[in-house]
Amino acid sequence: MISHSARQYRYRNCLFVLAHMRCGSTALSNILCSRPDVSGYGETHVRHDGRAALGQLALNQLRRGGRKPQADYLFDKVLHSRYDLEAPPEFFHARAVFMVRRPGDAIRSIVKLFRRVGKNEYRTQEAAAAYYVERLAALETLWRRFPPDRRIGLTHKALLRDPARQLAAISARLKLVPPLVNRYDSPPASRQGGGGDPLTSGRYARIEPRLHDPHADAPLEIPPELAAQCEDRYLRLCDLYSEDRGKA
């Protein structure tokens, strides 16, 4: 009923962050959702399999204090393929920001998170790496289905190295007016119940520029063939994003 109650509940009015866990997506989501024209808070865990999903998206936002009824855009962050595996053709009318992080950094961070919160699903590097490979393969498939003017890709490293430049690129490609600025309020819903980052997001009000940590390059304790798949998937997406920027 909600999805049919107003014209705004269309995928062409949606703004997504499509990514994997522990890639900086919460900070970017906070920047987007701090705008008055964006309704949302972070990851809603809605299965995008048809227009009715947008009613569930609005309902989840309402329940967790993230809904803005007059906003132009409905926001969601999707980090697991079970939520976008059966995306309908209309899903690709949305605007989407794709994010990816180097495998070693991301996998260690996933394991750290799940051990800290006491969950078993990704408590080993091998389990986290298997998720990483699967999710990046799915992101590549999704990327190819979005029109170039409705998508943009970036890396965690690029976002932290120069947040202003990356936010300007997102604003220009997705035609966000006014442009994004590097400041945000961290809503409670983005730090609890799987909505975002429960560890560090609440400590900041902006993306703090920083360089890559050289200590993060220690080898992963996973089978060599799995490590090679992680690196290959990461480089494939980086190449797609770079090629896309070059054509803009």
Side-chain angles (χ1 to χ4, degrees), residues 137-239:
L139 290 174
E140 181 176 340
T141 298
L142 292 168
W143 171 266
R144 296 184 186 280
R145 295 188 65 185
F146 275 92
D149 64 340
R150 307 289 283 189
R151 72 183 185 199
I152 188 169
L154 66 150
T155 67
H156 174 269
K157 180 179 179 179
L159 183 62
L160 292 189
R161 176 175 290 177
D162 193 345
R165 181 178 181 182
Q166 297 305 316
L167 294 177
I170 294 169
S171 301
R173 173 64 66 87
L174 302 185
K175 298 179 175 60
L176 299 179
V177 180
L180 297 173
V181 294
N182 188 13
R183 63 172 180 268
Y184 63 78
D185 296 317
S186 179
S190 74
R191 306 193 301 271
Q192 59 192 22
D197 177 12
L199 300 184
T200 61
S201 175
R203 304 177 192 171
Y204 301 99
R206 65 194 298 268
I207 298 174
E208 298 292 342
R210 63 179 185 267
L211 299 177
H212 175 66
D213 180 4
H215 299 292
D217 289 327
L220 293 170
E221 298 176 2
I222 61 177
E225 60 273 18
L226 182 56
Q229 290 178 47
C230 289
E231 188 68 16
D232 177 65
R233 284 293 172 188
Y234 172 74
L235 293 176
R236 286 170 65 97
L237 281 179
C238 287
D239 287 345

Side-chain angles (χ1 to χ4, degrees), residues 12-35:
R12 65 174 177 268
N13 299 327
C14 287
L15 180 59
F16 295 130
V17 168
L18 303 178
H20 59 83
M21 292 186 291
R22 311 305 293 169
C23 69
S25 62
T26 296
L28 179 58
S29 297
N30 286 344
I31 285 176
L32 291 165
C33 293
S34 292
R35 294 169 59 98

Side-chain angles (χ1 to χ4, degrees), residues 100-120:
V100 66
R101 186 178 183 182
R102 295 179 62 172
D105 298 351
I107 289 164
R108 273 184 284 270
S109 186
I110 291 169
V111 172
K112 176 182 177 182
L113 170 64
F114 277 78
R115 289 178 177 176
R116 286 279 297 273
V117 300
K119 294 184 177 181
N120 293 323

Side-chain angles (χ1 to χ4, degrees), residues 84-139:
D84 53 25
L85 180 64
E86 299 178 357
E90 294 79 11
F91 182 85
F92 303 95
H93 298 167
R95 293 169 170 85
V97 182
F98 286 74
M99 292 191 67
V100 66
R101 186 178 183 182
R102 295 179 62 172
D105 298 351
I107 289 164
R108 273 184 284 270
S109 186
I110 291 169
V111 172
K112 176 182 177 182
L113 170 64
F114 277 78
R115 289 178 177 176
R116 286 279 297 273
V117 300
K119 294 184 177 181
N120 293 323
E121 189 173 7
Y122 301 110
R123 285 175 62 92
T124 68
Q125 289 189 1
E126 188 165 354
Y131 155 80
Y132 182 89
V133 169
E134 182 279 325
R135 184 56 183 158
L136 267 64
L139 290 174

